[in-house]
Amino acid sequence: MRLPVERAMEVCPVEVAVSVLGGTWKLTLVKHLLAGTRRFNELGRLVPLANTKTLTRQLRELEEDGIVRRTSYPEVPPRVEYSLTESGRSLEPIVRAMDSWGAEFAERYKR
C-alpha cells in the first residue's frame, strides 16, 4: 500500500477512497477492466487521451494498492495483462453509478 493511502487512513474513509482512486484515469481504467482482462496497449486505445507515462503510473499505483493485478508472461515479445483483484471488482457498483451519473450530467449540460 502506498504511503498516501496509509496517511489517508488516519483521516477518514472518504480520504482513503480518494487516495486510492483519485488520479488521472484511474476510475476509467477500472471501468474498462470490469469488462475483463486487458493488455497495456488495449487500455491505451480505450483511454486515448492518456499518455503512456501516465497510464503506466496509474496502473502501477492501482496495482500497489491492490485494485489491479498485473500478470507478466515470459514470452518473446513480452506479454503483460491487467485484471481487477477481488477488491477492484468490489468497485463495480460505485463505478457503474458514477458512469451513469456522468452520462446524465453531460447530457444535461451539452451545448
Side-chain angles (χ1 to χ4, degrees), residues 3 8-9 23-24 28 32 40 42 47 53 57-59 64 69 71-72 82 86 92-93 95 100 104 106:
L3 183 59
M9 289 175 148
T24 311
T28 303
H32 289 302
F40 183 84
E42 185 179 6
V47 189
K53 182 179 176 182
R57 185 178 67 249
Q58 298 305 302
L59 285 165
E64 192 173 342
R69 177 181 305 106
T71 306
S72 182
Y82 295 90
E86 186 177 326
E92 184 168 9
V95 173
S100 177
E104 290 171 15

Side-chain angles (χ1 to χ4, degrees), residues 16 23 32 40-41 49 53-54 56 58 62 74 86 88 97 101 105:
V16 174
H32 289 302
F40 183 84
N41 286 338
L49 296 178
K53 182 179 176 182
T54 300
T56 299
Q58 298 305 302
L62 287 168
E86 186 177 326
W101 184 89
F105 183 88

Side-chain angles (χ1 to χ4, degrees), residues 2-18:
R2 295 176 306 116
L3 183 59
V5 178
E6 289 179 16
R7 287 187 178 150
M9 289 175 148
E10 297 172 14
V11 179
C12 86
V14 171
E15 288 303 316
V16 174
V18 169

Side-chain angles (χ1 to χ4, degrees), residues 29 33 37-47 50-60 70-71 79-82:
L29 291 168
L33 289 171
T37 301
R38 308 268 189 185
R39 293 177 74 173
F40 183 84
N41 286 338
E42 185 179 6
L43 287 168
R45 285 190 297 276
L46 290 168
V47 189
N51 66 47
T52 302
K53 182 179 176 182
T54 300
L55 197 60
T56 299
R57 185 178 67 249
Q58 298 305 302
L59 285 165
R60 283 185 183 156
R70 180 183 187 271
T71 306
R79 177 170 53 116
V80 176
E81 294 179 339
Y82 295 90

